Amino acid sequence: MRPRLIVTRQIPAAVAVRIGAEFDCPWPEGRDMDAEEMLRQLAATKADALMISSHMKFTGEVIGRIPDHVRIAATCSVGFEHMDVAAARARGLPVTNTPDVLTECTADLTLMLILTACRRAHEYDAIMRAGWRRGFGLGEMLGTRVWGKRLGIVGMGRIGQAVARRARGFGMDIRYTDQQRMRPEIEQGATFIPDLHALLPECDVLTLHAPGAPDGRPLMNADAFARLPKGAVFVNAARGVLVDEEALLAALRSGHLAAAGLDVFRNEPAFDRRFAELPNVFLTPHMASATVETRTAMGMRALDNIAAVLAGRPPIDPLWI
Amino acid sequence: MAKPVLLITRHLPPAIEARAARDYDARLNPEDTPRVAADILRLAQGADAVLCCPAEKLDGATIGALPATVKVLGTFSVGYDHIDIAACRARGLPVVNTPDVLSVATAECCMLLILAAARRANEGERLVRSGTWTGWAPTQLLGTLVSGRRLGVFGFGRIGREVARMARAFGMEVHYRDVARVSAELEDGAIWHEDDDSFLAASEMLSLNAPGGNATRQWLNAERIAKLPAGAVVANGARGTLVDDEALIAALRDGHLAAAGLDVYDGEPNLNPGYLKLENVVLLPHLGSATRETRDAMGNIVLDGIDAVLAGREPRNLVR
């Protein structure tokens, strides 16, 4: 008999095909459901496994009501802020995420945000959608060239390194901060600056690739933005909580920052609408991993974790051990 | 000694106008009023040099009518389609332009078009700005991964090669099509295609970087688009005339192409209105080289050339 699975969110077609082949699942293509319906379906189908996404608030209360026959809950995301891992651990429920597979996709989007912010892509698009019909003077609507600029990377993990690789193709001079210096083969000539505040004045473009601070305090506050050179460009495709958005709005309005590219916000999807009133920002709806290839890989990774646990093996990406 | 007189037909970046005013008796155009040939002839009276812009058509008659005092003509552009070069040669008037300095900014724009089109950036932008974003969903606005894809570069000149260099940093495999194969050094691992068919079949992403003109007019037509892999992405940061707009619009509409990014248009600043009805296009208003750094570099190189001619030296940016 095939293992029984509940999927609480729509998933890419290729993942649905695998679920249909390997699992007994009432909606292999996934169906958007809330916690109450999820709990009902888990009980009704006597499910062995559960696949969720960051959409599902997997609180201690919800975890406490998961039936005992459910042997693993896999989230189809790299982030797991929506899951109470301690509660899952307390009741012995393995929970997993999908790291690694987002690296290239996120790094691509980061470079895209650097380019679209520097080159004023939002304003250019608005001109086109309004019908254009006039040429520009040679000093009009000029952007910032990316090539040869100094790029600061906050957090030189897998994604930070992938961003650095791409940025070198644009002749960017890379400096970074992290808890510790990387090996030379990872650095590839990038300059290590241990202190964020010492890094900031040396960045024409700054991109964040750090996890959220445990105390929830924003890394980028008014003081930090003030330390960037005038005309700098700020990019965040990592975490909204890293930024004091009031300070970012002020820096964009005053012109201290030339532009920003933002894929994440403190509150999603109810982000601060004042960003949408600014011309010098490029805004995307948390789509760093939004490619068919990557979302498929994420779904497959979640299924790999589920298959491992159901076969009696340890999960590949456990969130608690 | 009085400074030589330089007519600058349009408003240029501040640093360039400052340099011109320092070295020349500069006739500027701070209001940036468009100039036609008759204006230029009038304003050039007594000038030693003229620095014109691509919007101005300087045909044989205009060149012939320029005052005899004019010893050099500069253009604030790489291209010189707007100038009758043969007439300049016949008159012994050297022409200087702005080669090389636009390559990286233009290539940068091509990568922006590829990334933004493949990743549906502007659809995401519109969703966020409209206030209708209802949250992250696993299947929302799924685009195409750029990293690791095959990129076809049509036209492997300076800009095309610069695009190739940037694309390699994304782990892309670069293929190219040009009239002749370039040296191994310039190729840097890119794969040359002798014919369109194999080139198109390889191009999951296609970047147009060829010159305009009759030889390439509507090169990207329905027949060639059909030979691209299903779901391909097309970027044009070169010349609007390279594309058959109706064919491209049809392929974007029926889904054979996933997306396109365009900075140039046939008939610009007008464009085929069909593009404006599509969600899966990223549209820029021909601002591929429009960065402060590039415009300053263009101004400096063209002024270097004018300085050189007036000093009796050979300029390195002489149009031959």
Side-chain angles (χ1 to χ4, degrees), chain B residues 192-259:
Chain B
W192 182 57
H193 289 261
E194 199 167 1
D195 64 85
D196 287 343
D197 285 7
S198 67
F199 171 71
L200 291 163
S203 299
E204 294 175 304
M205 314 255 156
L206 174 67
S207 178
L208 301 180
N209 297 102
N214 284 328
T216 57
R217 188 169 300 281
Q218 302 209 339
W219 178 82
L220 191 65
N221 57 19
E223 194 193 339
R224 289 196 176 91
I225 289 171
K227 289 174 181 165
L228 288 167
V233 173
V234 170
N236 187 7
R239 288 282 177 271
T241 54
L242 291 167
V243 173
D244 176 346
D245 289 324
E246 289 298 337
L248 181 58
I249 289 165
L252 287 163
R253 202 182 281 141
D254 73 24
H256 176 61
L257 295 179

Side-chain angles (χ1 to χ4, degrees), chain A residues 11 19 42 60 63 80 86 137 166 182 210 217 220-221 228 238 250 283:
Chain A
I11 49 162
I19 290 174
L42 288 171
I63 290 168
F80 48 88
R166 286 159 177 74
M182 301 289 140
R217 273 198 309 198
M220 293 303 296
N221 54 20
L228 284 167
L283 308 171

Side-chain angles (χ1 to χ4, degrees), chain A residues 3-282:
Chain A
R4 292 174 293 262
L5 173 69
I6 290 295
V7 182
T8 69
R9 201 83 160 107
Q10 288 174 53
I11 49 162
V15 182
V17 168
R18 176 170 165 196
I19 290 174
E22 298 179 15
F23 294 87
D24 191 0
C25 182
W27 300 282
E29 69 286 357
R31 199 177 78 146
D32 295 350
M33 57 179 87
D34 61 14
E36 290 306 321
E37 190 187 354
M38 172 185 80
L39 290 166
R40 270 199 308 278
Q41 294 295 345
L42 288 171
T45 61
K46 297 244 180 311
D48 301 295
L50 170 63
M51 183 162 136
I52 64 169
S53 80
S54 54
H55 169 77
M56 178 64 66
K57 298 291 167 251
F58 213 61
T59 61
E61 192 264 334
V62 170
I63 290 168
R65 294 164 60 201
I66 300 271
D68 287 338
H69 46 74
V70 177
R71 291 156 61 196
I72 174 174
T75 182
C76 198
S77 61
V78 69
F80 48 88
E81 293 86 348
H82 56 293
M83 305 175 92
D84 188 335
V85 174
R89 179 183 199 160
R91 67 155 291 180
L93 177 68
V95 284
T96 60
N97 67 340
T98 59
D100 305 347
V101 293
L102 289 79
T103 304
E104 306 301 327
C105 199
T106 304
D108 282 0
L109 190 96
T110 302
L111 263 292
M112 188 200 87
L113 289 175
I114 292 172
L115 287 163
T116 51
C118 286
R119 300 297 300 271
R120 302 175 70 166
H122 164 71
E123 289 166 273
Y124 291 1
D125 183 70
I127 288 164
M128 297 310 292
R129 298 278 163 183
W132 193 16
R133 284 182 163 65
R134 79 176 182 93
F136 292 105
L138 290 160
E140 214 178 339
M141 291 303 297
L142 299 187
T144 303
R145 191 173 69 189
V146 172
W147 198 87
K149 288 289 190 301
R150 298 171 300 175
L151 173 67
I153 298 178
V154 180
M156 200 61 149
R158 277 187 294 257
I159 294 173
Q161 292 165 35
V163 168
R165 255 197 317 277
R166 286 159 177 74
R168 275 184 211 105
F170 295 82
M172 297 187 92
D173 180 5
I174 296 156
R175 62 253 4 250
Y176 72 98
T177 186
D178 207 313
Q179 283 163 347
Q180 58 190 27
R181 186 166 177 179
M182 301 289 140
R183 298 189 308 275
E185 62 269 28
I186 289 176
E187 269 187 352
Q188 295 280 320
T191 307
F192 175 56
I193 301 180
D195 177 37
L196 174 68
H197 282 179
L199 169 76
L200 294 171
E202 302 201 7
C203 302
D204 301 309
V205 179
L206 183 76
T207 180
L208 305 185
H209 299 287
D215 60 5
R217 273 198 309 198
L219 204 60
M220 293 303 296
N221 54 20
D223 175 50
F225 283 118
R227 286 170 197 267
L228 284 167
K230 184 171 162 50
V233 171
F234 173 72
V235 166
N236 187 9
R239 301 248 177 309
V241 293
L242 294 169
V243 177
D244 174 349
E245 294 187 336
E246 207 61 54
L248 175 56
L249 282 162
L252 285 163
R253 284 203 190 107
S254 73
H256 179 66
L257 290 181
L262 305 174
D263 187 50
V264 291
F265 306 88
R266 286 193 89 85
N267 292 309
E268 296 177 11
F271 74 105
D272 192 326
R273 290 282 304 153
R274 289 176 295 172
F275 283 111
E277 290 158 17
L278 295 176
N280 54 340
V281 290
F282 198 90

